[in-house]
Every structure is written in C-alpha cells, then in structure tokens.
Amino acid sequence: YINSCSKRAALSKRSVYGFKVKIAQLRFEHKYKNYDEILSKLNKEGWKFIHLKRENFLRHKLSNIFTTETNIFQVKNPGDYKLKKIKVDCELLLKGILYSEEVEKTEEENLKDIPHIKILYEKDLLDNSKHQETADRIFKYLGLSQQTVKTSLIRLSSENLEDMILNYDEVYNFFKDTKYSHYLN
C-alpha cells in the first residue's frame, strides 16, 4: 500500500510522500504482531521517521473525549465554536492515560534503533509561535527546502481545565494524589 501510494505521488511529480503510522493501529486494529519488523523494513528502504508524541497523557485523552462528545475535529473561525463543558468519567480517563503510557513505551522501544526526529506536542506545536521553528527542523531532517508554514485552525481547548470539565472537582480529587497530578496544571 505504501509503495503504491508513493509511486502515485511520484507520477504526480511529487518529490516526497509521507504517511502516518500509529503503532496502536498496527497492533490493535490490524492485529500485526511484527510492527517492529515493519518499521525496521521501512527504515532499511530509506523512509524517514518523525515521532510525534504528547507528554501530557491526561490532556491527550481529554482531547479524544471532547472530540467524541462534540464531533468537532477542527475549527477555522472562532465564531463557529463555543467551548462546551463535558462530564468526564474518571475511570475512563485513567484507562486512556494508562493506554497512552503503554503505547508510548512501545513506540520508544520500536524506534530506539531507528533514526528519527522527535516532535513534542507541548514543546513544539502547542504554541503557534513555535510552528515555523519546528517545521524548519523537520524540513532540514527530511532534506527539503524550508517553506513558510501557517495554520488557519484555532485551538479548541482551554489552558484551564475547569473551563472544559463539568465535574472538574471530581476529576481533580481522583488524580490529585496520584503520579498523574502534575497533568492537572
């Protein structure tokens, strides 16, 4: 599939072709057991890897929950969106965090011997003023000429979790004495 898509890109006079691979999808949706071999083979074939990750697993899972609840994936016009508070199931949130930790461990393990660039959402993408610097690092890594980047999308979440979570006190109390309490800030 990858080779077919990249050949079509070349026929369309595209010099590069990229795609996203989620180890969780290989593992759980497609039921591959040898995803480490798949990634290694892609590396040997000359594919370059960009490891995009989030460090704040609580926020990552909350983002997924909000998307599921609101069915809104992106917004370009701030007037088209009003932040909606949702009730969060603390056990579901914890399961999501634990799952993210497991995926993170698997990604790190499978990429340890594969050259790659790591992009951290919180450090490199959350602040729009970092987008160009991050894109320039990626362009350099891929051997591409630098291009100006910009986004017309607006962030859907708030810095303040109380603005987003209807039962914030319950969520706070659930996580405050755990190793995940730092995610609440």
Side-chain angles (χ1 to χ4, degrees):
Y1 178 78
I2 294 166
N3 288 335
S4 172
C5 290
S6 61
K7 286 177 188 169
R8 283 196 306 255
L11 290 172
S12 302
K13 308 280 190 255
R14 304 278 191 242
S15 61
V16 295
Y17 172 74
F19 58 93
K20 176 171 61 172
V21 174
K22 288 185 173 184
I23 288 182
Q25 288 174 329
L26 292 174
R27 192 160 114 187
F28 297 114
E29 292 174 34
H30 300 290
K31 308 291 187 209
Y32 286 108
K33 296 197 184 332
N34 64 334
Y35 36 88
D36 55 337
E37 294 171 21
I38 294 169
L39 299 178
S40 180
K41 183 175 185 274
L42 289 170
N43 176 53
K44 288 175 184 153
E45 291 174 356
W47 292 93
K48 293 192 175 190
F49 289 71
I50 301 169
H51 182 196
L52 173 61
K53 66 178 257 183
R54 288 188 76 163
E55 295 181 312
N56 188 325
F57 297 131
L58 183 137
R59 282 248 182 209
H60 189 191
K61 182 60 183 170
L62 278 176
S63 178
N64 294 340
I65 292 169
F66 275 96
T67 300
T68 300
E69 289 287 320
T70 63
N71 205 30
I72 297 173
F73 297 87
Q74 58 188 21
V75 173
K76 292 183 179 184
N77 181 357
D80 292 344
Y81 176 74
K82 183 178 183 315
L83 184 63
K84 174 186 169 190
K85 283 188 172 190
I86 63 166
K87 184 171 182 183
V88 174
D89 178 329
C90 295
E91 291 291 340
L92 178 68
L93 184 55
L94 178 59
K95 283 180 186 175
I97 291 169
L98 295 172
Y99 173 77
S100 293
E101 286 179 333
E102 182 183 338
V103 168
E104 165 68 13
K105 197 182 309 178
T106 304
E107 288 174 351
E108 293 290 341
E109 178 64 26
N110 282 278
L111 290 172
K112 76 177 190 279
D113 297 324
I114 295 175
H116 64 281
I117 185 173
K118 189 173 293 198
I119 303 298
L120 302 175
Y121 175 80
E122 291 82 0
K123 178 181 165 249
D124 299 316
L125 297 173
L126 183 59
D127 178 354
N128 286 3
S129 70
K130 300 277 190 174
H131 289 183
Q132 188 64 55
E133 176 186 334
T134 300
D136 290 345
R137 278 183 38 229
I138 294 169
F139 293 142
K140 183 176 180 179
Y141 170 72
L142 296 175
L144 300 171
S145 63
Q146 292 182 351
Q147 303 291 316
T148 301
V149 298
K150 64 180 181 173
T151 182
S152 59
L153 302 177
I154 62 166
R155 185 174 173 201
L156 300 177
S157 62
S158 169
E159 271 309 306
N160 185 355
L161 291 175
E162 290 180 86
D163 294 341
M164 301 167 50
I165 302 172
L166 202 56
N167 57 328
Y168 176 77
D169 290 340
E170 179 185 347
V171 172
Y172 178 83
N173 288 328
F174 186 89
F175 287 101
K176 73 177 181 181
D177 295 322
T178 70
K179 69 178 188 175
Y180 307 111
S181 62
H182 65 283
Y183 291 146
L184 296 168
N185 301 326

PDB file of all heavy atoms in Angstrom, residues 72-105:
ATOM      1  N   ILE A  72     -16.456  17.584  16.886  1.00  0.00           N
ATOM      2  CA  ILE A  72     -15.748  18.702  16.254  1.00  0.00           C
ATOM      3  C   ILE A  72     -14.261  18.366  16.271  1.00  0.00           C
ATOM      4  O   ILE A  72     -13.677  18.136  17.325  1.00  0.00           O
ATOM      5  CB  ILE A  72     -16.007  20.031  16.995  1.00  0.00           C
ATOM      6  CG1 ILE A  72     -17.496  20.386  16.929  1.00  0.00           C
ATOM      7  CG2 ILE A  72     -15.158  21.150  16.403  1.00  0.00           C
ATOM      8  CD1 ILE A  72     -17.876  21.582  17.778  1.00  0.00           C
ATOM      9  N   PHE A  73     -13.664  18.332  15.083  1.00  0.00           N
ATOM     10  CA  PHE A  73     -12.264  17.960  14.969  1.00  0.00           C
ATOM     11  C   PHE A  73     -11.365  19.165  14.732  1.00  0.00           C
ATOM     12  O   PHE A  73     -10.213  19.173  15.113  1.00  0.00           O
ATOM     13  CB  PHE A  73     -12.072  16.938  13.840  1.00  0.00           C
ATOM     14  CG  PHE A  73     -12.796  15.651  14.101  1.00  0.00           C
ATOM     15  CD1 PHE A  73     -14.120  15.483  13.736  1.00  0.00           C
ATOM     16  CD2 PHE A  73     -12.153  14.607  14.737  1.00  0.00           C
ATOM     17  CE1 PHE A  73     -14.789  14.299  13.987  1.00  0.00           C
ATOM     18  CE2 PHE A  73     -12.809  13.414  14.999  1.00  0.00           C
ATOM     19  CZ  PHE A  73     -14.143  13.259  14.630  1.00  0.00           C
ATOM     20  N   GLN A  74     -11.882  20.162  14.059  1.00  0.00           N
ATOM     21  CA  GLN A  74     -11.119  21.379  13.803  1.00  0.00           C
ATOM     22  C   GLN A  74     -12.056  22.537  13.520  1.00  0.00           C
ATOM     23  O   GLN A  74     -13.162  22.343  13.041  1.00  0.00           O
ATOM     24  CB  GLN A  74     -10.130  21.185  12.657  1.00  0.00           C
ATOM     25  CG  GLN A  74     -10.770  20.767  11.358  1.00  0.00           C
ATOM     26  CD  GLN A  74      -9.733  20.408  10.311  1.00  0.00           C
ATOM     27  OE1 GLN A  74      -8.591  20.092  10.627  1.00  0.00           O
ATOM     28  NE2 GLN A  74     -10.113  20.456   9.063  1.00  0.00           N
ATOM     29  N   VAL A  75     -11.571  23.739  13.841  1.00  0.00           N
ATOM     30  CA  VAL A  75     -12.355  24.956  13.639  1.00  0.00           C
ATOM     31  C   VAL A  75     -11.422  26.020  13.081  1.00  0.00           C
ATOM     32  O   VAL A  75     -10.295  26.184  13.555  1.00  0.00           O
ATOM     33  CB  VAL A  75     -12.985  25.444  14.973  1.00  0.00           C
ATOM     34  CG1 VAL A  75     -13.652  26.777  14.802  1.00  0.00           C
ATOM     35  CG2 VAL A  75     -13.968  24.419  15.509  1.00  0.00           C
ATOM     36  N   LYS A  76     -11.893  26.726  12.082  1.00  0.00           N
ATOM     37  CA  LYS A  76     -11.097  27.806  11.493  1.00  0.00           C
ATOM     38  C   LYS A  76     -11.564  29.178  11.966  1.00  0.00           C
ATOM     39  O   LYS A  76     -10.774  30.090  12.094  1.00  0.00           O
ATOM     40  CB  LYS A  76     -11.162  27.740   9.964  1.00  0.00           C
ATOM     41  CG  LYS A  76     -10.454  26.536   9.403  1.00  0.00           C
ATOM     42  CD  LYS A  76     -10.461  26.538   7.895  1.00  0.00           C
ATOM     43  CE  LYS A  76      -9.705  25.322   7.382  1.00  0.00           C
ATOM     44  NZ  LYS A  76      -9.586  25.301   5.942  1.00  0.00           N
ATOM     45  N   ASN A  77     -12.855  29.318  12.209  1.00  0.00           N
ATOM     46  CA  ASN A  77     -13.409  30.600  12.603  1.00  0.00           C
ATOM     47  C   ASN A  77     -13.810  30.551  14.076  1.00  0.00           C
ATOM     48  O   ASN A  77     -14.677  29.756  14.450  1.00  0.00           O
ATOM     49  CB  ASN A  77     -14.628  30.922  11.732  1.00  0.00           C
ATOM     50  CG  ASN A  77     -15.249  32.253  12.051  1.00  0.00           C
ATOM     51  OD1 ASN A  77     -14.829  32.950  12.968  1.00  0.00           O
ATOM     52  ND2 ASN A  77     -16.268  32.605  11.298  1.00  0.00           N
ATOM     53  N   PRO A  78     -13.193  31.393  14.926  1.00  0.00           N
ATOM     54  CA  PRO A  78     -13.519  31.358  16.349  1.00  0.00           C
ATOM     55  C   PRO A  78     -15.014  31.547  16.629  1.00  0.00           C
ATOM     56  O   PRO A  78     -15.532  31.024  17.609  1.00  0.00           O
ATOM     57  CB  PRO A  78     -12.718  32.513  16.944  1.00  0.00           C
ATOM     58  CG  PRO A  78     -11.695  32.865  15.936  1.00  0.00           C
ATOM     59  CD  PRO A  78     -12.204  32.406  14.603  1.00  0.00           C
ATOM     60  N   GLY A  79     -15.708  32.262  15.776  1.00  0.00           N
ATOM     61  CA  GLY A  79     -17.134  32.482  15.960  1.00  0.00           C
ATOM     62  C   GLY A  79     -17.974  31.231  15.736  1.00  0.00           C
ATOM     63  O   GLY A  79     -19.140  31.172  16.129  1.00  0.00           O
ATOM     64  N   ASP A  80     -17.366  30.211  15.136  1.00  0.00           N
ATOM     65  CA  ASP A  80     -18.086  28.966  14.854  1.00  0.00           C
ATOM     66  C   ASP A  80     -18.051  27.979  16.018  1.00  0.00           C
ATOM     67  O   ASP A  80     -18.623  26.910  15.932  1.00  0.00           O
ATOM     68  CB  ASP A  80     -17.471  28.259  13.628  1.00  0.00           C
ATOM     69  CG  ASP A  80     -17.696  29.025  12.345  1.00  0.00           C
ATOM     70  OD1 ASP A  80     -18.557  29.916  12.332  1.00  0.00           O
ATOM     71  OD2 ASP A  80     -16.995  28.725  11.368  1.00  0.00           O
ATOM     72  N   TYR A  81     -17.368  28.353  17.092  1.00  0.00           N
ATOM     73  CA  TYR A  81     -17.176  27.376  18.166  1.00  0.00           C
ATOM     74  C   TYR A  81     -17.275  28.050  19.525  1.00  0.00           C
ATOM     75  O   TYR A  81     -16.684  29.086  19.757  1.00  0.00           O
ATOM     76  CB  TYR A  81     -15.804  26.723  18.013  1.00  0.00           C
ATOM     77  CG  TYR A  81     -15.468  25.754  19.125  1.00  0.00           C
ATOM     78  CD1 TYR A  81     -16.074  24.505  19.183  1.00  0.00           C
ATOM     79  CD2 TYR A  81     -14.558  26.088  20.115  1.00  0.00           C
ATOM     80  CE1 TYR A  81     -15.772  23.605  20.194  1.00  0.00           C
ATOM     81  CE2 TYR A  81     -14.246  25.196  21.126  1.00  0.00           C
ATOM     82  CZ  TYR A  81     -14.859  23.962  21.162  1.00  0.00           C
ATOM     83  OH  TYR A  81     -14.563  23.087  22.159  1.00  0.00           O
ATOM     84  N   LYS A  82     -18.020  27.416  20.400  1.00  0.00           N
ATOM     85  CA  LYS A  82     -18.078  27.852  21.795  1.00  0.00           C
ATOM     86  C   LYS A  82     -17.676  26.654  22.639  1.00  0.00           C
ATOM     87  O   LYS A  82     -18.215  25.563  22.480  1.00  0.00           O
ATOM     88  CB  LYS A  82     -19.494  28.306  22.158  1.00  0.00           C
ATOM     89  CG  LYS A  82     -19.607  28.835  23.579  1.00  0.00           C
ATOM     90  CD  LYS A  82     -21.017  29.307  23.864  1.00  0.00           C
ATOM     91  CE  LYS A  82     -21.195  29.913  25.226  1.00  0.00           C
ATOM     92  NZ  LYS A  82     -20.631  29.244  26.342  1.00  0.00           N
ATOM     93  N   LEU A  83     -16.698  26.869  23.516  1.00  0.00           N
ATOM     94  CA  LEU A  83     -16.205  25.795  24.356  1.00  0.00           C
ATOM     95  C   LEU A  83     -17.343  25.211  25.178  1.00  0.00           C
ATOM     96  O   LEU A  83     -18.064  25.928  25.861  1.00  0.00           O
ATOM     97  CB  LEU A  83     -15.092  26.309  25.281  1.00  0.00           C
ATOM     98  CG  LEU A  83     -14.393  25.283  26.155  1.00  0.00           C
ATOM     99  CD1 LEU A  83     -13.669  24.251  25.294  1.00  0.00           C
ATOM    100  CD2 LEU A  83     -13.406  25.966  27.086  1.00  0.00           C
ATOM    101  N   LYS A  84     -17.516  23.922  25.073  1.00  0.00           N
ATOM    102  CA  LYS A  84     -18.575  23.211  25.778  1.00  0.00           C
ATOM    103  C   LYS A  84     -17.937  22.403  26.902  1.00  0.00           C
ATOM    104  O   LYS A  84     -16.969  21.681  26.682  1.00  0.00           O
ATOM    105  CB  LYS A  84     -19.290  22.278  24.798  1.00  0.00           C
ATOM    106  CG  LYS A  84     -20.323  21.384  25.421  1.00  0.00           C
ATOM    107  CD  LYS A  84     -20.852  20.393  24.387  1.00  0.00           C
ATOM    108  CE  LYS A  84     -21.689  19.337  25.089  1.00  0.00           C
ATOM    109  NZ  LYS A  84     -22.043  18.243  24.219  1.00  0.00           N
ATOM    110  N   LYS A  85     -18.485  22.539  28.106  1.00  0.00           N
ATOM    111  CA  LYS A  85     -18.001  21.725  29.220  1.00  0.00           C
ATOM    112  C   LYS A  85     -18.629  20.343  29.118  1.00  0.00           C
ATOM    113  O   LYS A  85     -19.804  20.213  28.770  1.00  0.00           O
ATOM    114  CB  LYS A  85     -18.403  22.352  30.556  1.00  0.00           C
ATOM    115  CG  LYS A  85     -17.572  23.526  30.976  1.00  0.00           C
ATOM    116  CD  LYS A  85     -17.951  23.918  32.395  1.00  0.00           C
ATOM    117  CE  LYS A  85     -17.017  24.956  32.940  1.00  0.00           C
ATOM    118  NZ  LYS A  85     -17.227  25.186  34.385  1.00  0.00           N
ATOM    119  N   ILE A  86     -17.829  19.343  29.420  1.00  0.00           N
ATOM    120  CA  ILE A  86     -18.360  17.980  29.394  1.00  0.00           C
ATOM    121  C   ILE A  86     -18.064  17.289  30.724  1.00  0.00           C
ATOM    122  O   ILE A  86     -17.110  17.639  31.426  1.00  0.00           O
ATOM    123  CB  ILE A  86     -17.787  17.144  28.236  1.00  0.00           C
ATOM    124  CG1 ILE A  86     -16.280  16.955  28.380  1.00  0.00           C
ATOM    125  CG2 ILE A  86     -18.140  17.742  26.896  1.00  0.00           C
ATOM    126  CD1 ILE A  86     -15.729  15.883  27.486  1.00  0.00           C
ATOM    127  N   LYS A  87     -18.871  16.318  31.042  1.00  0.00           N
ATOM    128  CA  LYS A  87     -18.643  15.491  32.223  1.00  0.00           C
ATOM    129  C   LYS A  87     -17.664  14.389  31.836  1.00  0.00           C
ATOM    130  O   LYS A  87     -17.818  13.742  30.806  1.00  0.00           O
ATOM    131  CB  LYS A  87     -19.950  14.881  32.721  1.00  0.00           C
ATOM    132  CG  LYS A  87     -19.763  14.110  33.994  1.00  0.00           C
ATOM    133  CD  LYS A  87     -21.060  13.677  34.616  1.00  0.00           C
ATOM    134  CE  LYS A  87     -20.691  12.971  35.913  1.00  0.00           C
ATOM    135  NZ  LYS A  87     -21.718  12.427  36.636  1.00  0.00           N
ATOM    136  N   VAL A  88     -16.665  14.205  32.668  1.00  0.00           N
ATOM    137  CA  VAL A  88     -15.601  13.255  32.374  1.00  0.00           C
ATOM    138  C   VAL A  88     -15.696  12.073  33.337  1.00  0.00           C
ATOM    139  O   VAL A  88     -15.801  12.253  34.549  1.00  0.00           O
ATOM    140  CB  VAL A  88     -14.221  13.939  32.497  1.00  0.00           C
ATOM    141  CG1 VAL A  88     -13.091  12.936  32.342  1.00  0.00           C
ATOM    142  CG2 VAL A  88     -14.097  15.063  31.476  1.00  0.00           C
ATOM    143  N   ASP A  89     -15.665  10.890  32.772  1.00  0.00           N
ATOM    144  CA  ASP A  89     -15.627   9.657  33.549  1.00  0.00           C
ATOM    145  C   ASP A  89     -14.167   9.436  33.976  1.00  0.00           C
ATOM    146  O   ASP A  89     -13.307   9.175  33.131  1.00  0.00           O
ATOM    147  CB  ASP A  89     -16.132   8.501  32.677  1.00  0.00           C
ATOM    148  CG  ASP A  89     -16.097   7.152  33.362  1.00  0.00           C
ATOM    149  OD1 ASP A  89     -15.214   6.914  34.212  1.00  0.00           O
ATOM    150  OD2 ASP A  89     -16.955   6.314  33.022  1.00  0.00           O
ATOM    151  N   CYS A  90     -13.902   9.556  35.272  1.00  0.00           N
ATOM    152  CA  CYS A  90     -12.526   9.479  35.784  1.00  0.00           C
ATOM    153  C   CYS A  90     -11.869   8.135  35.486  1.00  0.00           C
ATOM    154  O   CYS A  90     -10.681   8.085  35.140  1.00  0.00           O
ATOM    155  CB  CYS A  90     -12.515   9.741  37.289  1.00  0.00           C
ATOM    156  SG  CYS A  90     -13.033  11.415  37.717  1.00  0.00           S
ATOM    157  N   GLU A  91     -12.605   7.054  35.605  1.00  0.00           N
ATOM    158  CA  GLU A  91     -12.044   5.721  35.317  1.00  0.00           C
ATOM    159  C   GLU A  91     -11.682   5.605  33.839  1.00  0.00           C
ATOM    160  O   GLU A  91     -10.639   5.056  33.491  1.00  0.00           O
ATOM    161  CB  GLU A  91     -13.026   4.617  35.722  1.00  0.00           C
ATOM    162  CG  GLU A  91     -13.233   4.475  37.208  1.00  0.00           C
ATOM    163  CD  GLU A  91     -12.020   3.935  37.953  1.00  0.00           C
ATOM    164  OE1 GLU A  91     -11.141   3.312  37.315  1.00  0.00           O
ATOM    165  OE2 GLU A  91     -11.953   4.153  39.176  1.00  0.00           O
ATOM    166  N   LEU A  92     -12.541   6.107  32.966  1.00  0.00           N
ATOM    167  CA  LEU A  92     -12.261   6.087  31.529  1.00  0.00           C
ATOM    168  C   LEU A  92     -11.021   6.928  31.214  1.00  0.00           C
ATOM    169  O   LEU A  92     -10.168   6.521  30.414  1.00  0.00           O
ATOM    170  CB  LEU A  92     -13.468   6.610  30.743  1.00  0.00           C
ATOM    171  CG  LEU A  92     -13.312   6.683  29.235  1.00  0.00           C
ATOM    172  CD1 LEU A  92     -13.214   5.287  28.628  1.00  0.00           C
ATOM    173  CD2 LEU A  92     -14.489   7.435  28.621  1.00  0.00           C
ATOM    174  N   LEU A  93     -10.921   8.075  31.861  1.00  0.00           N
ATOM    175  CA  LEU A  93      -9.767   8.944  31.663  1.00  0.00           C
ATOM    176  C   LEU A  93      -8.483   8.239  32.119  1.00  0.00           C
ATOM    177  O   LEU A  93      -7.478   8.258  31.411  1.00  0.00           O
ATOM    178  CB  LEU A  93      -9.969  10.261  32.418  1.00  0.00           C
ATOM    179  CG  LEU A  93      -8.923  11.345  32.254  1.00  0.00           C
ATOM    180  CD1 LEU A  93      -8.682  11.698  30.795  1.00  0.00           C
ATOM    181  CD2 LEU A  93      -9.346  12.588  33.042  1.00  0.00           C
ATOM    182  N   LEU A  94      -8.530   7.580  33.261  1.00  0.00           N
ATOM    183  CA  LEU A  94      -7.368   6.847  33.750  1.00  0.00           C
ATOM    184  C   LEU A  94      -6.996   5.715  32.797  1.00  0.00           C
ATOM    185  O   LEU A  94      -5.815   5.519  32.488  1.00  0.00           O
ATOM    186  CB  LEU A  94      -7.636   6.292  35.152  1.00  0.00           C
ATOM    187  CG  LEU A  94      -6.501   5.456  35.756  1.00  0.00           C
ATOM    188  CD1 LEU A  94      -5.207   6.261  35.856  1.00  0.00           C
ATOM    189  CD2 LEU A  94      -6.904   4.913  37.114  1.00  0.00           C
ATOM    190  N   LYS A  95      -7.986   4.981  32.302  1.00  0.00           N
ATOM    191  CA  LYS A  95      -7.703   3.913  31.340  1.00  0.00           C
ATOM    192  C   LYS A  95      -7.021   4.476  30.097  1.00  0.00           C
ATOM    193  O   LYS A  95      -6.104   3.865  29.543  1.00  0.00           O
ATOM    194  CB  LYS A  95      -8.988   3.190  30.945  1.00  0.00           C
ATOM    195  CG  LYS A  95      -9.483   2.231  31.993  1.00  0.00           C
ATOM    196  CD  LYS A  95     -10.761   1.545  31.537  1.00  0.00           C
ATOM    197  CE  LYS A  95     -11.332   0.696  32.646  1.00  0.00           C
ATOM    198  NZ  LYS A  95     -12.625   0.112  32.311  1.00  0.00           N
ATOM    199  N   GLY A  96      -7.482   5.649  29.641  1.00  0.00           N
ATOM    200  CA  GLY A  96      -6.864   6.292  28.488  1.00  0.00           C
ATOM    201  C   GLY A  96      -5.426   6.687  28.751  1.00  0.00           C
ATOM    202  O   GLY A  96      -4.550   6.541  27.883  1.00  0.00           O
ATOM    203  N   ILE A  97      -5.158   7.177  29.947  1.00  0.00           N
ATOM    204  CA  ILE A  97      -3.792   7.555  30.316  1.00  0.00           C
ATOM    205  C   ILE A  97      -2.895   6.313  30.360  1.00  0.00           C
ATOM    206  O   ILE A  97      -1.783   6.320  29.829  1.00  0.00           O
ATOM    207  CB  ILE A  97      -3.780   8.291  31.669  1.00  0.00           C
ATOM    208  CG1 ILE A  97      -4.455   9.667  31.521  1.00  0.00           C
ATOM    209  CG2 ILE A  97      -2.357   8.451  32.202  1.00  0.00           C
ATOM    210  CD1 ILE A  97      -4.737  10.361  32.846  1.00  0.00           C
ATOM    211  N   LEU A  98      -3.384   5.255  30.971  1.00  0.00           N
ATOM    212  CA  LEU A  98      -2.606   4.007  31.051  1.00  0.00           C
ATOM    213  C   LEU A  98      -2.324   3.448  29.654  1.00  0.00           C
ATOM    214  O   LEU A  98      -1.223   2.971  29.367  1.00  0.00           O
ATOM    215  CB  LEU A  98      -3.336   2.981  31.914  1.00  0.00           C
ATOM    216  CG  LEU A  98      -3.483   3.348  33.395  1.00  0.00           C
ATOM    217  CD1 LEU A  98      -4.394   2.352  34.111  1.00  0.00           C
ATOM    218  CD2 LEU A  98      -2.133   3.445  34.075  1.00  0.00           C
ATOM    219  N   TYR A  99      -3.322   3.522  28.783  1.00  0.00           N
ATOM    220  CA  TYR A  99      -3.163   3.068  27.402  1.00  0.00           C
ATOM    221  C   TYR A  99      -2.090   3.913  26.700  1.00  0.00           C
ATOM    222  O   TYR A  99      -1.216   3.377  26.017  1.00  0.00           O
ATOM    223  CB  TYR A  99      -4.500   3.159  26.667  1.00  0.00           C
ATOM    224  CG  TYR A  99      -4.416   2.868  25.200  1.00  0.00           C
ATOM    225  CD1 TYR A  99      -4.304   1.570  24.736  1.00  0.00           C
ATOM    226  CD2 TYR A  99      -4.445   3.909  24.273  1.00  0.00           C
ATOM    227  CE1 TYR A  99      -4.219   1.301  23.376  1.00  0.00           C
ATOM    228  CE2 TYR A  99      -4.368   3.646  22.913  1.00  0.00           C
ATOM    229  CZ  TYR A  99      -4.250   2.346  22.472  1.00  0.00           C
ATOM    230  OH  TYR A  99      -4.166   2.102  21.135  1.00  0.00           O
ATOM    231  N   SER A 100      -2.153   5.225  26.898  1.00  0.00           N
ATOM    232  CA  SER A 100      -1.170   6.115  26.275  1.00  0.00           C
ATOM    233  C   SER A 100       0.242   5.811  26.765  1.00  0.00           C
ATOM    234  O   SER A 100       1.196   5.854  25.987  1.00  0.00           O
ATOM    235  CB  SER A 100      -1.517   7.583  26.562  1.00  0.00           C
ATOM    236  OG  SER A 100      -2.707   7.942  25.915  1.00  0.00           O
ATOM    237  N   GLU A 101       0.366   5.502  28.039  1.00  0.00           N
ATOM    238  CA  GLU A 101       1.684   5.132  28.571  1.00  0.00           C
ATOM    239  C   GLU A 101       2.194   3.856  27.915  1.00  0.00           C
ATOM    240  O   GLU A 101       3.379   3.764  27.575  1.00  0.00           O
ATOM    241  CB  GLU A 101       1.604   4.930  30.091  1.00  0.00           C
ATOM    242  CG  GLU A 101       1.483   6.210  30.868  1.00  0.00           C
ATOM    243  CD  GLU A 101       1.391   5.977  32.363  1.00  0.00           C
ATOM    244  OE1 GLU A 101       0.930   4.893  32.796  1.00  0.00           O
ATOM    245  OE2 GLU A 101       1.781   6.887  33.101  1.00  0.00           O
ATOM    246  N   GLU A 102       1.309   2.892  27.739  1.00  0.00           N
ATOM    247  CA  GLU A 102       1.695   1.633  27.103  1.00  0.00           C
ATOM    248  C   GLU A 102       2.123   1.866  25.652  1.00  0.00           C
ATOM    249  O   GLU A 102       3.143   1.334  25.198  1.00  0.00           O
ATOM    250  CB  GLU A 102       0.532   0.645  27.149  1.00  0.00           C
ATOM    251  CG  GLU A 102       0.851  -0.700  26.565  1.00  0.00           C
ATOM    252  CD  GLU A 102      -0.340  -1.643  26.563  1.00  0.00           C
ATOM    253  OE1 GLU A 102      -1.274  -1.452  27.355  1.00  0.00           O
ATOM    254  OE2 GLU A 102      -0.323  -2.578  25.747  1.00  0.00           O
ATOM    255  N   VAL A 103       1.364   2.674  24.930  1.00  0.00           N
ATOM    256  CA  VAL A 103       1.698   2.988  23.535  1.00  0.00           C
ATOM    257  C   VAL A 103       3.030   3.726  23.473  1.00  0.00           C
ATOM    258  O   VAL A 103       3.886   3.424  22.634  1.00  0.00           O
ATOM    259  CB  VAL A 103       0.573   3.807  22.866  1.00  0.00           C
ATOM    260  CG1 VAL A 103       1.021   4.386  21.535  1.00  0.00           C
ATOM    261  CG2 VAL A 103      -0.667   2.946  22.682  1.00  0.00           C
ATOM    262  N   GLU A 104       3.222   4.673  24.371  1.00  0.00           N
ATOM    263  CA  GLU A 104       4.467   5.441  24.411  1.00  0.00           C
ATOM    264  C   GLU A 104       5.661   4.514  24.616  1.00  0.00           C
ATOM    265  O   GLU A 104       6.676   4.624  23.924  1.00  0.00           O
ATOM    266  CB  GLU A 104       4.404   6.470  25.546  1.00  0.00           C
ATOM    267  CG  GLU A 104       5.723   7.086  25.930  1.00  0.00           C
ATOM    268  CD  GLU A 104       6.322   7.985  24.889  1.00  0.00           C
ATOM    269  OE1 GLU A 104       5.625   8.359  23.928  1.00  0.00           O
ATOM    270  OE2 GLU A 104       7.509   8.303  25.000  1.00  0.00           O
ATOM    271  N   LYS A 105       5.546   3.589  25.533  1.00  0.00           N
ATOM    272  CA  LYS A 105       6.621   2.632  25.808  1.00  0.00           C
ATOM    273  C   LYS A 105       6.910   1.797  24.555  1.00  0.00           C
ATOM    274  O   LYS A 105       8.064   1.568  24.195  1.00  0.00           O
ATOM    275  CB  LYS A 105       6.210   1.725  26.976  1.00  0.00           C
ATOM    276  CG  LYS A 105       7.361   0.982  27.600  1.00  0.00           C
ATOM    277  CD  LYS A 105       6.929   0.050  28.724  1.00  0.00           C
ATOM    278  CE  LYS A 105       6.070   0.737  29.756  1.00  0.00           C
ATOM    279  NZ  LYS A 105       5.609  -0.153  30.825  1.00  0.00           N
TER     280      LYS A 105
END
